[in-house]
Amino acid sequence: DVVELWLTGNLDKIIQYNEFDAITTYLLFLRIAFFAGFFDESQYENEQMLLHEFLAEEATRKPHLGKYLEIWDSMV
């Protein structure tokens, strides 16, 4: 998909894709770190809350992040 986006000049969509990927990777890292014992449950939940708050704030400038939050919230 990224190649097609690049070839058609949709650089904004590539940036959005990469932002989604980075956020998802970070959430995955948090989950693995929690299971590995690097975070207790409270710390794990706090890190997720901090990320959620950050994304909600950023969504005022970047509406696509609001869509990410909608999907995240629907899975809880």
Side-chain angles (χ1 to χ4, degrees):
D1 290 344
V2 174
V3 171
E4 184 64 30
L5 292 171
W6 175 265
L7 292 174
T8 57
N10 287 315
L11 301 181
D12 289 342
K13 294 287 184 189
I14 294 172
I15 292 168
Q16 291 173 14
Y17 174 86
N18 286 330
E19 287 176 336
F20 288 169
D21 193 41
I23 295 163
T24 303
T25 301
Y26 181 65
L27 286 169
L28 209 77
F29 159 76
L30 289 178
R31 187 89 171 145
I32 292 168
F34 169 65
F35 285 134
F38 292 102
F39 299 118
D40 63 26
E41 189 170 348
S42 174
Q43 292 168 315
Y44 173 60
E45 290 173 1
N46 186 58
E47 288 297 321
Q48 289 182 84
M49 181 195 67
L50 289 172
L51 178 60
H52 195 284
E53 289 173 354
F54 171 77
L55 293 176
E57 185 177 316
E58 286 293 301
T60 61
R61 293 184 316 106
K62 299 178 174 185
H64 64 280
L65 294 178
K67 292 177 187 175
Y68 189 96
L69 286 175
E70 287 176 21
I71 294 168
W72 183 1
D73 290 341
S74 73
M75 291 191 279
V76 178

